[in-house]
Amino acid sequence: MSTILYSWMKTVLALGTATCFWFLFKLLRERRRFAGLPGPPHHWLYGHLPIIKKIKEKLPSDAHINLLHATLAREYNLGPIYYLDLWPSFDPMVIVLDPALAAQATQLKNLPKHPMYRLMEYTVGTQSIITTTGQQWRFWRKVFDPGFSSTHLATLTPMVVERVQVFIKKLEAHVETGDVFPLLPLTKSLTIDVIGRVTMASDFNTQQQSNEIVDAFLLMPKYIPPMGFDPIRLLSPTRIWNARHYQRKLDRLIGEVVDQRFRERRAGKVGPSEKSLVHLALDTYEQMGDTGDANLVTDPVFKRNAIHNIRGFFFAGHATTAASLCYLYYVLYRNPDVMLRLRQEHDEYLGVNPDDASARIQAEPTLLKRMPYTTAVIKESLRLFVGAGTMRNGVKGFSLVDPSTNTAYPTYRDGPFPILVRAFPIHRNPANFADPDLFDPERFLGARVTTMTKDAYRPFEKGSRDCPGQELSMMEMRVTLALTIRIFNIEAVYPKDSPEVMGDPAYNVMYSSAGPAASLPVRIKLAKREEEG
Ligand code: HEM
């Protein structure tokens, strides 16, 4: 054997041995981190991986991770918090199931966001309020605040009505054909048309035509790096090329919109009440005294910040509301008594002829907010099916403390734990809501609201990093329900052998954000009110 081959083999052997030792050391260290912490049964060698596998086998393969966490909690009677040891497949996870602990992580302490958010930078850029912290986050969150005030949202209501009228035309076309089709793409186009106006003062009309910015946005998530261990996808040259290509394309196209809006301001075409996010950014730019040349925003840092924030709001502001709208139609289909009562409330406030509703809402945009049952139905639907949440990072020396037992749960042990505060497992925890899988809008009415556990209801998260778009989203849902549910019967049509989770074939799956399985297949008919007695 040549000496070169011999020394090469020695090196490989030494490297192999070192890797084995490192792996063993890391494995034992990881397993030790979980000693004495609450969770499902823990294996000294495999950690929680066998348990996860077992629960996963009980769920449909596309079920959202929220369902896994909620199911685990039920199967092993876990709470108020539990730890998952998943090395080497995934990072560990800490699942918060108790409102008081959730409040400590987000409202009282406001733990830092987890580094995993960096993956979102592919879609929203590096400077958006979704992924930034500190001064950068504070500055831009404040810039956009006026865009979500109640008075401004009232002025946006007629715009939403117009876009819902296009949505109605799309639904009417399906009444004619009588086909079964997925509803989510339609609600997504509707919410994109709304968020296009809110963010860029643009009328994309995605419900009827394609648009370059929207297409780039919808394609982008396909090219973000994988979350788990997947070196082939991670290193794929086409993935890397496309990720860069679409990021640059989004920056360029949105940059052109920013410049266009800037020119319109210079030409005196923009009124003082205009508060779309691009104009709020440009207001700030002008107040800072940097007026650029007549055609361009010339400060590149400012412009990049504005573009990334527009990307952030565009991303966060459409898929969540689109999925929530689907779930509303789903729960109303499954609960005819609720539908009947909701239609009665709409008759009462908007007039018995559904054709009059648009004009009524346009004339008095705040009317919808005064309809208690409508709001209760939306809130309860969000309680049951919301997919969003927050992921924080543990901090050395900081523990979450259960106020009822004074037990301290560390957020850091030999490194930070990722802390998942997600509404779904909290909302579906029987310790927080009685009969948690039951659709019961009455929870949000009258005296029962006062008995709700503090901080248990958190679809839009809480604390300073809560959702700035929550009132816009509520308004979109109110308008859409008010203009559609008395015209159409929207039936969820899942095949008989469809898998179900917690009694629902429309369980949450992960698209670019959470939404109903199979994008909610539906058939639409015209509502025949007289049949309801
Ligand atoms: C049903 C609809 C919606 C739900 C359930 C929802 C939920 C949430 C949640 C749970 C968060 C916290 C996320 C985290 O910490 O990672 C959040 C943040 C955010 N949401 Fe929403 N959202 C909705 C609609 C909207 C809309 C319509 C917009 C835009 C107009 C929007 C813009 C944002 C932004 C920009 C953030 C980041 C805020 C920050 O970090 O300061 N969301 N949302």
Side-chain angles (χ1 to χ4, degrees):
M1 198 186 295
S2 77
T3 38
I4 296 181
L5 184 60
Y6 179 69
S7 68
W8 184 81
M9 281 175 68
K10 252 177 45 183
T11 313
V12 170
L13 197 70
L15 276 176
T17 314
T19 310
C20 284
F21 271 113
W22 172 83
F23 185 86
L24 260 177
F25 172 77
K26 172 92 178 140
L27 181 81
L28 292 174
R29 189 166 168 267
E30 281 297 318
R31 299 294 175 260
R32 253 203 338 260
R33 281 178 88 190
F34 294 83
L37 296 177
H42 187 253
H43 190 279
W44 69 271
L45 183 61
Y46 301 118
H48 287 123
L49 290 170
I51 297 278
I52 294 288
K53 185 167 174 284
K54 191 175 131 199
I55 300 290
K56 268 190 156 176
E57 281 165 3
K58 292 188 176 186
L59 296 171
S61 58
D62 57 355
H64 193 285
I65 192 164
N66 283 340
L67 302 171
L68 180 91
H69 293 153
T71 309
L72 254 172
R74 286 182 183 189
E75 293 267 323
Y76 294 97
N77 200 17
L78 302 171
I81 186 171
Y82 69 93
Y83 292 69
L84 290 178
D85 173 8
L86 306 172
W87 197 85
S89 301
F90 294 100
D91 279 344
M93 284 181 200
V94 179
I95 318 301
V96 176
L97 296 162
D98 181 85
L101 301 193
Q104 287 167 31
T106 56
Q107 293 140 260
L108 303 173
K109 173 75 176 168
N110 191 14
L111 287 171
K113 285 199 170 182
H114 189 266
M116 184 89 94
Y117 279 86
R118 295 211 59 190
L119 285 181
M120 290 177 89
E121 290 179 358
Y122 282 82
T123 317
V124 305
T126 52
Q127 304 303 314
S128 118
I129 65 164
I130 295 182
T131 52
T132 52
T133 53
Q135 179 56 22
Q136 166 78 5
W137 166 78
R138 232 183 323 278
F139 177 85
W140 284 96
R141 177 117 187 185
K142 203 158 163 242
V143 165
F144 297 124
D145 265 355
F148 299 100
S149 70
S150 330
T151 28
H152 181 58
L153 289 179
T155 69
L156 291 179
T157 306
M159 174 277 289
V160 176
V161 169
E162 278 168 26
R163 277 141 178 85
V164 174
Q165 280 161 351
V166 181
F167 177 65
I168 289 174
K169 292 218 159 50
K170 303 300 269 186
L171 297 185
E172 279 168 352
H174 286 286
V175 172
E176 303 245 313
T177 58
D179 61 338
V180 173
F181 67 97
L183 188 62
L184 185 62
L186 259 62
T187 55
K188 224 180 207 177
S189 297
L190 166 64
T191 54
I192 285 175
D193 281 349
V194 172
I195 202 71
R197 178 67 188 78
V198 170
T199 52
M200 289 175 251
S202 294
D203 189 5
F204 290 140
N205 197 10
T206 324
Q207 298 189 85
Q208 290 174 311
Q209 65 194 35
S210 67
N211 173 279
E212 241 190 322
I213 296 182
V214 176
D215 291 347
F217 241 109
L218 298 183
L219 278 169
M220 183 66 236
K222 272 173 60 179
Y223 303 113
I224 60 177
M227 289 224 250
F229 180 69
D230 185 352
I232 295 181
R233 193 172 133 67
L234 181 71
L235 301 172
S236 154
T238 40
R239 185 199 66 72
I240 295 168
W241 188 89
N242 275 312
R244 279 215 196 112
H245 168 74
Y246 283 109
Q247 288 187 77
R248 287 196 189 133
K249 188 168 180 178
L250 278 173
D251 280 350
R252 177 175 56 78
L253 292 172
I254 297 174
E256 284 167 16
V257 173
V258 173
D259 287 334
Q260 171 68 22
R261 299 291 167 263
F262 190 61
R263 280 195 290 276
E264 287 163 8
R265 294 163 76 89
R266 289 303 154 96
K269 291 183 186 161
V270 178
S273 63
E274 175 58 60
K275 287 194 173 53
S276 54
L277 305 192
V278 62
H279 284 293
L280 290 173
L282 289 171
D283 282 346
T284 310
Y285 182 64
E286 287 167 356
Q287 279 155 24
M288 281 162 47
D290 196 347
T291 49
D293 74 25
N295 289 317
L296 286 173
V297 177
T298 47
D299 177 342
V301 175
F302 186 91
K303 190 167 175 181
R304 191 189 52 170
N305 283 336
I307 292 170
H308 286 191
N309 274 297
I310 289 171
R311 278 169 67 176
F313 275 95
F314 191 94
F315 167 76
H318 70 273
T320 40
T321 310
S324 303
L325 275 170
C326 283
Y327 277 119
L328 274 165
Y329 291 120
Y330 172 74
V331 289
L332 288 172
Y333 169 64
R334 305 249 297 191
N335 295 275
D337 50 332
V338 175
M339 174 66 109
L340 181 61
R341 195 166 153 200
L342 192 62
R343 284 174 169 164
Q344 281 165 353
E345 184 175 83
H346 289 179
D347 284 351
E348 190 189 322
Y349 282 79
L350 302 168
V352 283
N353 184 352
D355 294 341
D356 296 339
S358 289
R360 287 256 182 139
I361 298 168
Q362 309 250 31
E364 197 187 343
T366 53
L367 178 64
L368 294 175
K369 261 185 125 170
R370 297 203 301 272
M371 292 158 55
Y373 198 64
T374 306
T375 299
V377 166
I378 296 173
K379 284 187 169 174
E380 176 67 346
S381 178
L382 281 171
R383 186 190 67 79
L384 276 181
F385 290 109
V386 73
T390 191
M391 189 173 182
R392 304 302 176 98
N393 212 16
V395 166
K396 204 169 187 172
F398 178 73
S399 297
L400 298 170
V401 180
D402 180 354
S404 57
T405 59
N406 249 349
T407 314
Y409 300 100
T411 67
Y412 190 107
R413 184 186 277 178
D414 287 340
F417 285 121
I419 315 284
L420 274 79
V421 179
R422 302 200 61 99
F424 189 91
I426 295 176
H427 289 176
R428 295 290 191 116
N429 182 355
N432 304 328
F433 292 93
D435 284 329
D437 299 341
L438 189 74
F439 179 69
D440 178 13
E442 303 283 334
R443 291 181 211 269
F444 291 93
L445 292 171
R448 278 182 70 189
V449 188
T450 54
T451 62
M452 199 174 282
T453 312
K454 187 167 180 277
D455 296 321
Y457 183 67
R458 46 195 318 125
F460 298 103
E461 256 317 306
K462 287 176 168 264
S464 57
R465 301 221 52 165
D466 68 347
C467 176
Q470 51 191 290
E471 280 308 320
L472 168 68
S473 168
M474 290 295 289
M475 184 264 276
E476 285 179 73
M477 290 189 266
R478 286 190 185 102
V479 172
T480 312
L481 283 186
L483 297 187
T484 56
I485 60 150
R486 291 183 298 162
I487 302 179
F488 303 107
N489 281 333
I490 300 184
E491 299 168 16
V493 191
Y494 281 96
K496 287 226 165 352
D497 55 354
S498 293
E500 294 187 358
V501 183
M502 296 173 181
D504 285 303
Y507 59 85
N508 255 316
V509 303
M510 191 69 189
Y511 302 109
S512 59
S513 67
S519 299
L520 188 60
V522 294
R523 187 184 293 112
I524 304 202
K525 296 180 182 153
L526 288 179
K528 295 197 186 85
R529 302 296 306 282
E530 65 279 12
E531 284 177 8
E532 291 167 6

